[in-house]
Amino acid sequence: MKDKLRIYVFGASGDLAKRKTFPALFELFSRGLLNDVELVGYARTEMSDEEFRDVLSEFLTCRYVPGESCQTYMDDFLALCTYEHGMYDADSLDKAFSKYEHVENNIFYMALPPVVYVSAVDAIHGAECFEYCQSSLKLVLEKPFGHSLASSEDLQDSLSSYFVEEQFYRIDHYLGKELVQNILVLRFANIFFEPLWNSEYIERVDIFWKETLSLHGRAGYFDKYGIIKDVIQNHLIQILALISIERIAELSTDNVSCAKLKLLDSVKKLTKNNAVVGQYIGNGQVPGYLEEPGVSEKSKTPTYARVNLEIENERWKGVPFTITAGKGLDETVTKVVVSFKRVKPIFKDMCECQSVPNKLVIQIQPEPHIYLGICNKVPGEGFKLSKKRLNFLYSEGYNEQIPDAYASLILDVIKGDKNMFVGIEELQASWRIFDDFLAESESNDGDMPVAYTFGANEKEVF
Ligand SMILES: NC(=O)c1ccc[n+]([C@@H]2O[C@H](COP(=O)([O-])OP(=O)(O)OC[C@H]3O[C@@H](n4cnc5c(N)ncnc54)[C@H](OP(=O)(O)O)[C@@H]3O)[C@@H](O)[C@H]2O)c1
Protein backbone atom coordinates (compact mmCIF):
# COMPACT_ATOMS: atom_id res chain seq x y z
CA MET A 1 0.00 0.00 0.00
CA LYS A 2 1.49 3.23 -1.17
CA ASP A 3 2.84 5.57 1.51
CA LYS A 4 1.54 3.50 4.39
CA LEU A 5 3.99 3.32 7.27
CA ARG A 6 4.38 0.36 9.59
CA ILE A 7 6.52 0.63 12.71
CA TYR A 8 7.52 -2.67 14.29
CA VAL A 9 8.66 -2.31 17.89
CA PHE A 10 10.75 -5.33 18.89
CA GLY A 11 10.99 -5.88 22.66
CA ALA A 12 7.52 -4.31 22.94
CA SER A 13 6.89 -5.84 26.37
CA GLY A 14 9.88 -4.01 27.85
CA ASP A 15 10.51 -0.85 29.82
CA LEU A 16 11.71 1.36 26.97
CA ALA A 17 8.85 0.45 24.65
CA LYS A 18 6.21 1.11 27.32
CA ARG A 19 7.72 4.19 28.92
CA LYS A 20 9.27 5.93 25.93
CA THR A 21 8.63 4.50 22.45
CA PHE A 22 4.84 4.14 22.48
CA PRO A 23 4.21 7.34 24.49
CA ALA A 24 6.41 9.18 21.95
CA LEU A 25 4.41 7.64 19.10
CA PHE A 26 1.23 8.76 20.86
CA GLU A 27 2.63 12.27 21.15
CA LEU A 28 3.23 12.34 17.38
CA PHE A 29 -0.23 10.93 16.76
CA SER A 30 -1.92 13.52 18.96
CA ARG A 31 0.04 16.30 17.23
CA GLY A 32 -1.30 15.07 13.89
CA LEU A 33 2.16 13.98 12.73
CA LEU A 34 1.52 10.26 12.42
CA ASN A 35 -0.77 9.50 9.53
CA ASP A 36 -1.56 6.31 7.71
CA VAL A 37 0.40 4.21 10.14
CA GLU A 38 0.25 0.80 11.80
CA LEU A 39 2.14 0.07 15.01
CA VAL A 40 3.08 -3.51 15.70
CA GLY A 41 4.60 -4.66 18.97
CA TYR A 42 6.66 -7.86 19.00
CA ALA A 43 8.29 -9.75 21.87
CA ARG A 44 8.48 -13.27 23.31
CA THR A 45 5.81 -12.71 25.99
CA GLU A 46 2.39 -14.00 24.97
CA MET A 47 -0.26 -11.27 24.96
CA SER A 48 -3.41 -10.54 23.01
CA ASP A 49 -3.84 -7.22 21.20
CA GLU A 50 -6.24 -6.15 23.96
CA GLU A 51 -3.80 -7.03 26.74
CA PHE A 52 -1.05 -5.17 24.93
CA ARG A 53 -3.27 -2.09 24.52
CA ASP A 54 -4.17 -2.24 28.22
CA VAL A 55 -0.48 -2.20 29.13
CA LEU A 56 0.26 0.70 26.77
CA SER A 57 -2.72 2.76 27.92
CA GLU A 58 -1.20 3.04 31.41
CA PHE A 59 1.78 4.93 30.00
CA LEU A 60 0.08 7.35 27.57
CA THR A 61 -0.31 10.95 28.69
CA CYS A 62 -2.22 13.82 27.14
CA ARG A 63 0.24 16.65 26.74
CA TYR A 64 -0.99 17.79 23.35
CA VAL A 65 -4.75 17.30 23.43
CA PRO A 66 -7.29 18.85 25.78
CA GLY A 67 -8.49 16.62 28.60
CA GLU A 68 -12.00 15.99 27.28
CA SER A 69 -10.88 14.72 23.84
CA CYS A 70 -7.89 12.82 25.16
CA GLN A 71 -9.71 9.53 25.65
CA THR A 72 -10.88 9.59 22.02
CA TYR A 73 -7.30 10.22 20.84
CA MET A 74 -6.04 7.38 23.02
CA ASP A 75 -8.70 4.97 21.75
CA ASP A 76 -7.92 5.91 18.14
CA PHE A 77 -4.19 5.50 18.78
CA LEU A 78 -4.55 2.15 20.54
CA ALA A 79 -6.70 0.89 17.66
CA LEU A 80 -3.59 1.30 15.46
CA CYS A 81 -1.54 -0.92 17.78
CA THR A 82 -1.37 -4.69 17.41
CA TYR A 83 0.89 -7.28 19.01
CA GLU A 84 2.58 -10.51 17.91
CA HIS A 85 4.80 -12.78 19.92
CA GLY A 86 7.71 -15.00 18.99
CA MET A 87 11.45 -15.52 19.00
CA TYR A 88 14.13 -13.68 17.02
CA ASP A 89 14.69 -15.99 14.05
CA ALA A 90 13.45 -15.80 10.48
CA ASP A 91 10.89 -18.62 10.84
CA SER A 92 9.27 -17.00 13.87
CA LEU A 93 9.03 -13.64 12.09
CA ASP A 94 7.51 -15.32 9.02
CA LYS A 95 5.00 -17.06 11.25
CA ALA A 96 4.04 -13.80 12.92
CA PHE A 97 4.10 -11.41 9.97
CA SER A 98 3.32 -13.31 6.75
CA LYS A 99 -0.33 -12.39 7.19
CA TYR A 100 0.47 -8.65 7.10
CA GLU A 101 0.01 -6.95 3.75
CA HIS A 102 3.04 -5.26 2.20
CA VAL A 103 3.44 -1.56 2.90
CA GLU A 104 5.74 1.04 1.40
CA ASN A 105 7.57 2.22 4.53
CA ASN A 106 8.84 -0.09 7.25
CA ILE A 107 10.67 0.90 10.42
CA PHE A 108 12.02 -1.62 12.92
CA TYR A 109 12.60 -0.13 16.35
CA MET A 110 14.88 -2.32 18.47
CA ALA A 111 13.70 -1.77 22.06
CA LEU A 112 15.76 -4.85 22.93
CA PRO A 113 18.83 -5.61 25.03
CA PRO A 114 21.88 -5.14 22.73
CA VAL A 115 22.79 -8.86 22.98
CA VAL A 116 19.70 -9.56 20.88
CA TYR A 117 20.39 -6.95 18.14
CA VAL A 118 22.36 -9.22 15.84
CA SER A 119 19.93 -12.15 15.95
CA ALA A 120 16.96 -9.78 15.50
CA VAL A 121 18.57 -8.03 12.53
CA ASP A 122 19.66 -11.39 11.07
CA ALA A 123 16.05 -12.60 11.42
CA ILE A 124 14.63 -9.52 9.66
CA HIS A 125 17.16 -10.03 6.87
CA GLY A 126 16.34 -13.71 6.53
CA ALA A 127 12.54 -13.56 6.85
CA GLU A 128 10.68 -14.17 3.59
CA CYS A 129 7.89 -11.85 4.68
CA PHE A 130 10.31 -8.89 4.67
CA GLU A 131 12.11 -9.78 1.46
CA TYR A 132 10.12 -7.14 -0.45
CA CYS A 133 11.36 -4.24 1.71
CA GLN A 134 14.99 -5.26 2.46
CA SER A 135 16.58 -2.31 0.67
CA SER A 136 14.21 0.38 1.99
CA LEU A 137 13.52 -0.58 5.59
CA LYS A 138 15.01 1.45 8.43
CA LEU A 139 16.39 0.08 11.71
CA VAL A 140 16.43 2.07 14.93
CA LEU A 141 19.01 1.03 17.50
CA GLU A 142 19.24 2.14 21.12
CA LYS A 143 22.43 2.71 23.05
CA PRO A 144 24.57 1.13 24.40
CA PHE A 145 26.31 0.47 21.09
CA GLY A 146 28.86 -1.92 22.54
CA HIS A 147 30.72 -1.68 25.84
CA SER A 148 34.17 -0.91 24.36
CA LEU A 149 35.71 0.08 21.05
CA ALA A 150 36.29 -3.56 20.08
CA SER A 151 32.78 -4.69 20.99
CA SER A 152 31.18 -1.77 19.15
CA GLU A 153 33.29 -2.64 16.08
CA ASP A 154 32.23 -6.29 16.36
CA LEU A 155 28.58 -5.28 16.66
CA GLN A 156 28.90 -3.04 13.64
CA ASP A 157 30.70 -5.73 11.59
CA SER A 158 27.81 -8.09 12.26
CA LEU A 159 25.04 -5.57 11.59
CA SER A 160 26.63 -4.20 8.43
CA SER A 161 26.68 -7.65 6.86
CA TYR A 162 22.86 -7.40 6.66
CA PHE A 163 22.07 -3.73 5.99
CA VAL A 164 23.90 -0.58 4.88
CA GLU A 165 24.79 2.32 7.18
CA GLU A 166 22.06 4.60 5.70
CA GLN A 167 19.44 2.18 7.04
CA PHE A 168 20.63 2.38 10.67
CA TYR A 169 19.41 5.12 13.01
CA ARG A 170 21.38 5.04 16.28
CA ILE A 171 19.34 6.90 18.87
CA ASP A 172 21.06 8.98 21.49
CA HIS A 173 17.97 10.56 22.97
CA TYR A 174 19.94 13.59 24.23
CA LEU A 175 20.30 14.59 20.58
CA GLY A 176 16.50 14.81 20.48
CA LYS A 177 16.36 17.26 23.37
CA GLU A 178 15.32 20.76 22.37
CA LEU A 179 18.16 22.54 24.16
CA VAL A 180 20.79 20.22 22.70
CA GLN A 181 19.49 20.79 19.17
CA ASN A 182 19.44 24.51 19.94
CA ILE A 183 23.22 24.55 20.51
CA LEU A 184 23.69 24.64 16.73
CA VAL A 185 21.20 27.50 16.38
CA LEU A 186 22.65 29.49 19.25
CA ARG A 187 26.13 29.19 17.82
CA PHE A 188 25.49 29.53 14.12
CA ALA A 189 22.36 31.70 13.84
CA ASN A 190 23.60 34.52 16.11
CA ILE A 191 26.40 36.80 15.01
CA PHE A 192 27.91 37.50 18.41
CA PHE A 193 28.88 34.06 19.74
CA GLU A 194 30.99 32.71 16.88
CA PRO A 195 33.70 35.42 16.91
CA LEU A 196 34.22 34.74 20.63
CA TRP A 197 33.98 30.96 20.34
CA ASN A 198 37.68 30.10 20.67
CA SER A 199 40.61 29.98 23.03
CA GLU A 200 41.20 33.71 22.80
CA TYR A 201 37.94 34.49 24.59
CA ILE A 202 36.84 31.28 26.26
CA GLU A 203 38.56 30.19 29.46
CA ARG A 204 36.91 26.82 29.94
CA VAL A 205 33.82 24.74 29.14
CA ASP A 206 32.05 22.56 31.71
CA ILE A 207 29.34 20.02 31.05
CA PHE A 208 27.43 18.81 34.09
CA TRP A 209 25.09 15.85 34.43
CA LYS A 210 23.96 15.41 38.01
CA GLU A 211 21.23 13.25 39.45
CA THR A 212 19.84 12.92 42.99
CA LEU A 213 18.67 9.38 42.23
CA SER A 214 20.39 6.11 43.05
CA LEU A 215 20.06 3.18 40.65
CA HIS A 216 16.34 3.36 40.16
CA GLY A 217 16.02 -0.39 39.56
CA ARG A 218 18.73 -0.46 36.88
CA ALA A 219 21.48 -2.18 38.90
CA GLY A 220 21.84 -5.09 36.47
CA TYR A 221 22.56 -2.74 33.58
CA PHE A 222 24.41 0.01 35.43
CA ASP A 223 26.86 -2.20 37.31
CA LYS A 224 28.14 -3.56 33.98
CA TYR A 225 28.52 -0.11 32.46
CA GLY A 226 29.16 2.63 35.04
CA ILE A 227 28.71 6.36 34.66
CA ILE A 228 31.29 6.91 31.88
CA LYS A 229 29.70 4.39 29.53
CA ASP A 230 26.18 5.27 30.68
CA VAL A 231 26.22 9.01 30.01
CA ILE A 232 29.68 10.45 29.24
CA GLN A 233 30.87 8.41 26.25
CA ASN A 234 27.54 8.99 24.48
CA HIS A 235 25.14 11.77 25.64
CA LEU A 236 27.70 14.17 27.06
CA ILE A 237 30.40 13.69 24.44
CA GLN A 238 27.75 14.42 21.80
CA ILE A 239 26.95 17.68 23.60
CA LEU A 240 30.67 18.48 23.78
CA ALA A 241 30.94 17.88 20.04
CA LEU A 242 28.04 20.22 19.22
CA ILE A 243 29.52 22.91 21.48
CA SER A 244 32.93 22.72 19.85
CA ILE A 245 32.57 21.70 16.17
CA GLU A 246 33.75 24.03 13.44
CA ARG A 247 31.12 26.11 11.66
CA ILE A 248 29.27 24.08 9.02
CA ALA A 249 28.38 25.49 5.61
CA GLU A 250 24.74 24.43 5.92
CA LEU A 251 22.70 22.01 7.97
CA SER A 252 22.95 18.52 6.49
CA THR A 253 23.62 15.08 7.92
CA ASP A 254 26.96 14.83 6.14
CA ASN A 255 28.12 18.25 7.33
CA VAL A 256 27.11 17.71 10.96
CA SER A 257 28.50 14.20 11.05
CA CYS A 258 31.80 15.16 9.37
CA ALA A 259 32.27 18.12 11.71
CA LYS A 260 31.57 15.97 14.79
CA LEU A 261 33.91 13.24 13.57
CA LYS A 262 36.73 15.73 12.94
CA LEU A 263 36.22 17.21 16.38
CA LEU A 264 36.06 13.86 18.20
CA ASP A 265 39.18 12.71 16.38
CA SER A 266 41.02 15.71 17.80
CA VAL A 267 40.05 15.00 21.43
CA LYS A 268 43.06 13.57 23.28
CA LYS A 269 42.57 10.14 24.78
CA LEU A 270 41.53 10.22 28.43
CA THR A 271 44.23 9.19 30.90
CA LYS A 272 44.26 8.44 34.62
CA ASN A 273 45.81 11.85 35.31
CA ASN A 274 42.82 13.61 33.77
CA ALA A 275 40.02 11.80 35.54
CA VAL A 276 38.53 11.34 38.99
CA VAL A 277 36.03 8.56 39.58
CA GLY A 278 33.81 8.06 42.60
CA GLN A 279 31.24 5.70 44.05
CA TYR A 280 28.58 6.75 46.52
CA ILE A 281 28.33 5.30 50.01
CA GLY A 282 25.20 5.29 52.17
CA ASN A 283 24.06 8.35 54.11
CA GLY A 284 22.04 6.56 56.79
CA GLN A 285 18.81 6.78 54.80
CA VAL A 286 19.83 5.62 51.35
CA PRO A 287 22.10 2.53 51.09
CA GLY A 288 25.48 2.83 49.47
CA TYR A 289 26.11 1.62 45.92
CA LEU A 290 27.69 -1.64 47.09
CA GLU A 291 24.64 -2.42 49.23
CA GLU A 292 22.21 -2.02 46.30
CA PRO A 293 20.52 -5.29 45.23
CA GLY A 294 22.03 -6.48 41.95
CA VAL A 295 25.41 -4.76 42.47
CA SER A 296 28.36 -7.10 42.85
CA GLU A 297 29.97 -7.08 46.28
CA LYS A 298 33.35 -5.68 45.30
CA SER A 299 32.15 -3.62 42.34
CA LYS A 300 34.54 -0.90 41.17
CA THR A 301 31.87 0.61 38.94
CA PRO A 302 31.97 4.41 39.19
CA THR A 303 28.73 6.29 39.91
CA TYR A 304 30.59 9.59 39.50
CA ALA A 305 33.29 10.80 37.12
CA ARG A 306 34.95 14.07 36.33
CA VAL A 307 37.03 13.98 33.16
CA ASN A 308 39.17 16.77 31.78
CA LEU A 309 39.37 16.58 28.02
CA GLU A 310 41.66 18.44 25.70
CA ILE A 311 40.83 19.28 22.11
CA GLU A 312 43.95 19.42 19.99
CA ASN A 313 43.07 21.95 17.34
CA GLU A 314 43.74 25.62 16.64
CA ARG A 315 40.38 26.88 17.94
CA TRP A 316 40.51 25.19 21.33
CA LYS A 317 44.23 25.15 22.14
CA GLY A 318 44.64 25.16 25.94
CA VAL A 319 40.91 25.34 26.75
CA PRO A 320 39.88 22.66 29.27
CA PHE A 321 36.63 20.84 28.56
CA THR A 322 35.47 19.20 31.77
CA ILE A 323 32.62 16.73 31.93
CA THR A 324 31.21 15.96 35.37
CA ALA A 325 28.57 13.27 35.80
CA GLY A 326 27.24 11.68 38.96
CA LYS A 327 24.39 9.84 40.57
CA GLY A 328 23.40 10.33 44.20
CA LEU A 329 24.36 14.00 44.25
CA ASP A 330 22.52 16.97 45.74
CA GLU A 331 20.72 18.15 42.58
CA THR A 332 19.36 16.96 39.27
CA VAL A 333 20.56 19.04 36.38
CA THR A 334 22.18 18.77 32.94
CA LYS A 335 23.85 21.94 31.73
CA VAL A 336 26.72 23.39 29.75
CA VAL A 337 28.65 26.29 31.25
CA VAL A 338 30.88 28.29 28.92
CA SER A 339 33.16 30.56 30.97
CA PHE A 340 34.70 33.51 29.14
CA LYS A 341 38.00 35.16 29.92
CA ARG A 342 38.09 38.17 32.21
CA VAL A 343 38.25 41.72 30.82
CA LYS A 344 41.00 44.18 31.70
CA PRO A 345 39.47 46.30 34.48
CA ILE A 346 38.93 50.02 33.82
CA PHE A 347 36.61 50.54 36.80
CA LYS A 348 37.92 50.65 40.35
CA ASP A 349 35.18 48.53 41.86
CA MET A 350 35.42 45.39 39.76
CA CYS A 351 35.87 42.92 42.59
CA GLU A 352 32.53 41.17 42.42
CA CYS A 353 32.63 40.95 38.64
CA GLN A 354 36.27 39.99 38.41
CA SER A 355 35.86 37.06 40.79
CA VAL A 356 33.56 35.32 38.32
CA PRO A 357 33.89 35.62 34.53
CA ASN A 358 31.04 36.10 32.05
CA LYS A 359 29.30 32.78 31.66
CA LEU A 360 26.88 31.41 29.12
CA VAL A 361 24.77 28.66 30.69
CA ILE A 362 22.67 26.30 28.61
CA GLN A 363 20.52 24.31 30.99
CA ILE A 364 19.14 21.27 29.21
CA GLN A 365 17.10 19.87 32.07
CA PRO A 366 15.09 19.89 34.24
CA GLU A 367 13.91 23.39 33.26
CA PRO A 368 15.09 24.45 29.77
CA HIS A 369 16.87 27.70 30.41
CA ILE A 370 19.59 29.82 28.83
CA TYR A 371 21.30 32.65 30.64
CA LEU A 372 24.30 34.86 30.29
CA GLY A 373 26.09 36.14 33.36
CA ILE A 374 27.11 39.77 32.82
CA CYS A 375 28.71 42.56 34.82
CA ASN A 376 26.29 45.47 35.34
CA LYS A 377 26.29 48.94 36.88
CA VAL A 378 24.37 49.17 40.14
CA PRO A 379 21.89 52.08 39.73
CA GLY A 380 23.08 55.23 41.51
CA GLU A 381 26.06 57.50 41.69
CA GLY A 382 29.51 56.37 40.70
CA PHE A 383 30.40 53.07 39.09
CA LYS A 384 29.56 50.31 41.50
CA LEU A 385 29.33 47.04 39.62
CA SER A 386 27.51 43.78 40.25
CA LYS A 387 26.84 40.46 38.50
CA LYS A 388 23.46 40.00 36.85
CA ARG A 389 21.81 37.53 34.45
CA LEU A 390 20.36 38.02 31.00
CA ASN A 391 17.77 35.37 31.39
CA PHE A 392 15.73 33.26 29.00
CA LEU A 393 13.41 30.66 30.46
CA TYR A 394 11.67 28.56 27.82
CA SER A 395 8.51 28.40 29.95
CA GLU A 396 8.25 32.20 29.72
CA GLY A 397 9.47 32.61 26.14
CA TYR A 398 7.35 30.02 24.37
CA ASN A 399 3.75 28.91 24.62
CA GLU A 400 4.58 25.72 22.75
CA GLN A 401 5.13 22.48 24.63
CA ILE A 402 8.69 21.17 24.49
CA PRO A 403 8.47 17.99 22.39
CA ASP A 404 9.63 14.77 23.94
CA ALA A 405 13.13 13.84 22.73
CA TYR A 406 12.04 10.39 21.55
CA ALA A 407 9.08 11.89 19.65
CA SER A 408 11.42 14.33 17.83
CA LEU A 409 13.84 11.56 16.89
CA ILE A 410 11.17 9.08 15.76
CA LEU A 411 9.72 11.81 13.55
CA ASP A 412 13.20 12.30 12.07
CA VAL A 413 13.42 8.55 11.36
CA ILE A 414 10.07 8.67 9.58
CA LYS A 415 11.27 11.64 7.50
CA GLY A 416 14.68 10.02 6.89
CA ASP A 417 16.46 12.99 8.49
CA LYS A 418 19.71 11.76 10.13
CA ASN A 419 21.14 15.08 11.37
CA MET A 420 20.60 14.16 15.00
CA PHE A 421 21.66 10.50 14.96
CA VAL A 422 25.02 8.99 15.78
CA GLY A 423 27.05 7.94 12.74
CA ILE A 424 29.22 4.85 13.00
CA GLU A 425 32.49 6.75 12.61
CA GLU A 426 31.69 9.28 15.34
CA LEU A 427 30.57 6.44 17.58
CA GLN A 428 33.93 4.75 17.19
CA ALA A 429 35.82 8.02 17.59
CA SER A 430 34.03 8.58 20.89
CA TRP A 431 34.91 5.07 22.08
CA ARG A 432 38.56 5.74 21.18
CA ILE A 433 38.69 8.67 23.65
CA PHE A 434 37.69 6.50 26.63
CA ASP A 435 38.71 2.96 25.69
CA ASP A 436 42.23 2.76 27.18
CA PHE A 437 41.18 4.53 30.36
CA LEU A 438 38.18 2.23 30.81
CA ALA A 439 40.22 -0.91 30.12
CA GLU A 440 42.81 0.12 32.69
CA SER A 441 40.32 1.11 35.39
CA GLU A 442 38.25 -2.06 34.87
CA SER A 443 41.33 -4.31 35.09
CA ASN A 444 42.35 -6.00 38.33
CA ASP A 445 44.98 -3.28 38.85
CA GLY A 446 42.41 -0.53 38.55
CA ASP A 447 41.95 1.68 41.62
CA MET A 448 38.79 1.65 43.70
CA PRO A 449 36.72 4.81 43.03
CA VAL A 450 36.84 7.53 45.68
CA ALA A 451 33.93 7.26 48.13
CA TYR A 452 31.40 10.09 48.44
CA THR A 453 28.30 10.25 50.60
CA PHE A 454 24.95 9.89 48.85
CA GLY A 455 23.37 13.33 48.43
CA ALA A 456 26.71 15.16 48.55
CA ASN A 457 27.45 18.42 46.84
CA GLU A 458 30.20 17.25 44.51
CA LYS A 459 32.22 20.46 44.97
CA GLU A 460 32.64 19.62 48.66
CA VAL A 461 33.64 16.03 48.03
CA PHE A 462 36.09 16.18 45.14
N1 LIG B 1 14.72 1.68 29.54
C1 LIG B 1 15.27 2.84 29.24
O1 LIG B 1 14.87 3.91 29.73
C2 LIG B 1 16.40 2.89 28.24
C3 LIG B 1 17.06 4.12 28.03
C4 LIG B 1 18.06 4.18 27.07
C5 LIG B 1 18.39 3.06 26.34
N2 LIG B 1 17.75 1.89 26.58
C6 LIG B 1 18.11 0.72 25.78
O2 LIG B 1 16.95 0.27 25.12
C7 LIG B 1 16.95 -1.14 24.99
C8 LIG B 1 15.72 -1.72 25.66
O3 LIG B 1 15.68 -1.33 27.00
P1 LIG B 1 14.64 -1.91 28.06
O4 LIG B 1 14.92 -1.22 29.33
O5 LIG B 1 13.26 -1.87 27.54
O6 LIG B 1 15.11 -3.41 28.15
P2 LIG B 1 14.39 -4.65 28.81
O7 LIG B 1 13.12 -4.22 29.48
O8 LIG B 1 15.41 -5.37 29.59
O9 LIG B 1 14.09 -5.55 27.53
C9 LIG B 1 13.11 -5.25 26.58
C10 LIG B 1 12.42 -6.52 26.16
O10 LIG B 1 13.33 -7.34 25.45
C11 LIG B 1 12.99 -8.71 25.64
N3 LIG B 1 14.19 -9.47 26.00
C12 LIG B 1 14.93 -9.36 27.12
N4 LIG B 1 15.96 -10.22 27.08
C13 LIG B 1 15.86 -10.88 25.93
C14 LIG B 1 16.62 -11.92 25.31
N5 LIG B 1 17.71 -12.42 25.89
N6 LIG B 1 16.23 -12.36 24.11
C15 LIG B 1 15.14 -11.86 23.50
N7 LIG B 1 14.37 -10.89 24.04
C16 LIG B 1 14.74 -10.42 25.23
C17 LIG B 1 11.98 -8.78 26.77
O11 LIG B 1 10.72 -9.09 26.20
P3 LIG B 1 10.19 -10.61 26.10
O12 LIG B 1 10.72 -11.34 27.27
O13 LIG B 1 8.69 -10.43 26.12
O14 LIG B 1 10.69 -11.09 24.79
C18 LIG B 1 11.93 -7.37 27.32
O15 LIG B 1 10.64 -6.99 27.70
C19 LIG B 1 18.25 -1.59 25.63
O16 LIG B 1 19.21 -1.66 24.61
C20 LIG B 1 18.57 -0.47 26.58
O17 LIG B 1 19.92 -0.41 26.87
C21 LIG B 1 16.76 1.77 27.51
Side-chain angles (χ1 to χ4, degrees):
M1 282 166 77
K2 197 120 184 64
D3 293 337
K4 188 160 190 112
L5 167 67
R6 188 177 292 134
I7 303 180
Y8 301 86
V9 179
F10 282 15
S13 60
D15 181 69
L16 182 82
K18 287 185 290 202
R19 280 195 317 109
K20 299 288 183 188
T21 317
F22 279 95
L25 288 165
F26 178 58
E27 177 176 315
L28 294 177
F29 177 77
S30 53
R31 287 163 64 195
L33 297 170
L34 211 53
N35 301 310
D36 209 4
V37 66
E38 286 175 10
L39 307 169
V40 187
Y42 184 79
R44 296 170 305 178
T45 304
E46 275 192 52
M47 257 190 283
S48 66
D49 288 347
E50 274 323 306
E51 284 167 328
F52 181 55
R53 289 172 186 148
D54 284 348
V55 173
L56 296 184
S57 65
E58 285 174 38
F59 295 86
L60 305 183
T61 51
C62 289
R63 290 207 308 140
Y64 279 88
V65 275
E68 60 275 19
S69 46
C70 187
Q71 192 55 49
T72 316
Y73 270 87
M74 279 195 191
D75 293 344
D76 291 349
F77 174 77
L78 291 169
L80 302 172
C81 302
T82 54
Y83 180 83
E84 304 290 339
H85 73 93
M87 304 298 286
Y88 295 94
D89 58 71
D91 287 347
S92 302
L93 297 192
D94 277 329
K95 200 165 149 219
F97 296 114
S98 293
K99 61 183 183 243
Y100 283 66
E101 63 184 324
H102 292 183
V103 300
E104 188 80 355
N105 303 310
N106 293 278
I107 295 173
F108 291 81
Y109 193 114
M110 303 291 159
L112 284 168
V115 286
V116 196
Y117 285 170
V118 176
S119 43
V121 171
D122 180 15
I124 295 166
H125 185 256
E128 275 178 34
C129 62
F130 297 133
E131 231 172 62
Y132 79 100
C133 60
Q134 290 291 319
S135 59
S136 62
L137 61 81
K138 298 171 185 167
L139 295 130
V140 181
L141 302 176
E142 277 285 341
K143 69 133 202 172
F145 313 114
H147 49 84
S148 62
L149 177 60
S151 64
S152 94
E153 283 171 347
D154 287 350
L155 177 64
Q156 183 57 22
D157 283 350
S158 306
L159 296 177
S160 63
S161 58
Y162 304 112
F163 295 100
V164 295
E165 174 63 10
E166 287 68 47
Q167 293 177 277
F168 291 108
Y169 289 74
R170 289 177 205 83
I171 283 205
D172 181 321
H173 74 278
Y174 270 62
L175 290 177
K177 287 184 185 281
E178 199 57 45
L179 273 270
V180 174
Q181 299 193 346
N182 191 48
I183 291 171
L184 291 178
V185 178
L186 207 58
R187 284 191 58 196
F188 301 133
N190 293 292
I191 190 78
F192 47 88
F193 285 122
E194 205 48 20
L196 306 181
W197 216 250
N198 55 55
S199 60
E200 203 176 323
Y201 296 101
I202 290 182
E203 191 169 274
R204 57 179 297 113
V205 177
D206 288 273
I207 299 171
F208 295 99
W209 183 98
K210 302 193 215 174
E211 198 168 79
T212 53
L213 295 173
S214 52
L215 289 182
H216 215 51
R218 292 173 72 222
Y221 161 81
F222 189 85
D223 201 39
K224 281 198 217 99
Y225 284 84
I227 200 81
I228 293 182
K229 294 183 197 174
D230 191 32
V231 295
I232 297 183
Q233 179 272 338
N234 32 61
H235 306 322
L236 305 181
I237 204 76
Q238 283 290 332
I239 293 175
L240 180 145
L242 293 175
I243 285 286
S244 53
I245 53 170
E246 293 301 315
R247 188 183 169 83
I248 48 175
E250 61 176 354
L251 189 65
S252 74
T253 304
D254 280 353
N255 285 349
V256 176
S257 200
C258 268
K260 281 199 280 176
L261 176 61
K262 199 163 173 206
L263 187 283
L264 293 170
D265 274 342
S266 59
V267 177
K268 254 173 113 170
K269 284 185 178 183
L270 183 66
T271 65
K272 223 170 144 177
N273 296 336
N274 294 326
V276 183
V277 292
Q279 191 184 72
Y280 66 79
I281 53 172
N283 64 0
Q285 287 149 335
V286 179
Y289 180 75
L290 294 180
E291 284 116 52
E292 291 267 6
V295 169
S296 73
E297 221 173 89
K298 289 187 181 153
S299 174
K300 286 196 285 188
T301 301
T303 57
Y304 170 97
R306 189 173 64 219
V307 302
N308 294 315
L309 297 172
E310 218 179 295
I311 300 175
E312 291 186 297
N313 67 16
E314 205 41 46
R315 183 191 281 262
W316 296 116
K317 213 171 176 182
V319 180
F321 281 74
T322 301
I323 302 181
T324 304
K327 287 179 169 296
L329 294 174
D330 63 337
E331 61 172 339
T332 294
V333 71
T334 305
K335 64 183 177 185
V336 180
V337 181
V338 180
S339 303
F340 292 86
K341 290 196 168 160
R342 284 155 231 260
V343 293
K344 238 181 159 169
I346 62 162
F347 305 99
K348 280 198 193 109
D349 181 18
M350 285 283 285
C351 288
E352 193 186 328
C353 286
Q354 277 298 87
S355 62
V356 181
N358 293 123
K359 286 184 186 188
L360 171 69
V361 179
I362 302 167
Q363 183 168 297
I364 294 154
Q365 56 192 22
E367 178 90 23
H369 187 185
I370 302 172
Y371 55 91
L372 187 60
I374 59 159
C375 188
N376 207 59
K377 178 180 174 299
V378 177
E381 301 76 38
F383 280 87
K384 188 169 162 35
L385 309 183
S386 71
K387 290 178 293 180
K388 286 287 167 212
R389 279 183 184 181
L390 300 179
N391 224 358
F392 173 48
L393 265 170
Y394 270 53
S395 56
E396 290 172 2
Y398 290 110
N399 292 327
E400 291 86 350
Q401 293 264 12
I402 303 279
D404 172 74
Y406 278 94
S408 298
L409 293 174
I410 292 172
L411 187 60
D412 284 348
V413 178
I414 295 170
K415 291 194 218 149
D417 177 346
K418 292 186 92 177
N419 286 340
M420 288 294 152
F421 291 83
V422 183
I424 185 62
E425 288 180 301
E426 27 171 324
L427 170 66
Q428 290 173 353
S430 65
W431 271 121
R432 242 171 259 128
I433 299 168
F434 299 100
D435 211 45
D436 291 349
F437 173 80
L438 287 167
E440 193 185 335
S441 49
E442 285 165 7
S443 73
N444 291 338
D445 302 334
D447 300 330
M448 195 61 197
V450 182
Y452 64 98
T453 307
F454 188 92
N457 171 336
E458 53 104 12
K459 277 198 200 118
E460 290 161 13
V461 185
F462 297 102

